[in-house]
Amino acid sequence: MFLWSSVFSKEPQVPGQRSPEELVTNMLMLELGYLLKRTERLRQERATENRRRSSSVDYSWLAAPPQKPAYEIPAGEILELQDLCAKVSPSQCGPLIL
């Protein structure tokens, strides 16, 4: 697919080259996605452990279908987060993640 915006941009774009804002946004959104998945996994592990403690045998995993993540970020909030991430300078990306 040909990007017409690259024809009219003032900066020469090399295929595959990304702007610093785009790199920071991608990094921060990937980190947020990882944290959401990790939190969901920990929540499921705690719930499984609580079920196991409440009864001597837990066969619920046999009957239960795989659960969807309990929390998903709505599309509007993802766009807002991406706009906020684009405002972060590359030098502040690491400290922000920490």
Side-chain angles (χ1 to χ4, degrees):
M1 183 156 111
F2 186 74
L3 299 175
W4 286 100
S5 61
S6 64
V7 172
F8 299 109
S9 70
K10 294 181 181 182
E11 298 177 5
Q13 290 285 326
V14 177
Q17 181 183 10
R18 295 181 178 175
S19 68
E21 294 84 13
E22 190 176 3
L23 290 172
V24 169
T25 300
N26 288 343
M27 175 63 74
L28 293 176
M29 293 305 289
L30 285 172
E31 184 69 22
L32 178 63
Y34 165 76
L35 289 174
L36 284 173
K37 288 178 185 178
R38 182 173 178 256
T39 302
E40 181 62 25
R41 183 180 47 82
L42 291 173
R43 186 194 65 76
Q44 288 178 354
E45 287 174 3
R46 282 190 211 120
T48 301
E49 186 64 29
N50 288 338
R51 280 194 305 267
R52 196 174 305 135
R53 286 181 186 168
S54 66
S55 67
S56 59
V57 180
D58 180 22
Y59 293 110
S60 62
W61 60 273
L62 286 171
Q67 295 180 353
K68 290 175 58 177
Y71 183 76
E72 291 183 13
I73 302 175
E77 288 183 21
I78 288 177
L79 292 175
E80 289 177 21
L81 285 169
Q82 288 175 340
D83 287 340
L84 286 173
C85 291
K87 295 176 183 177
V88 175
S89 67
S91 63
Q92 293 297 317
C93 186
L96 183 65
I97 290 174
L98 292 176

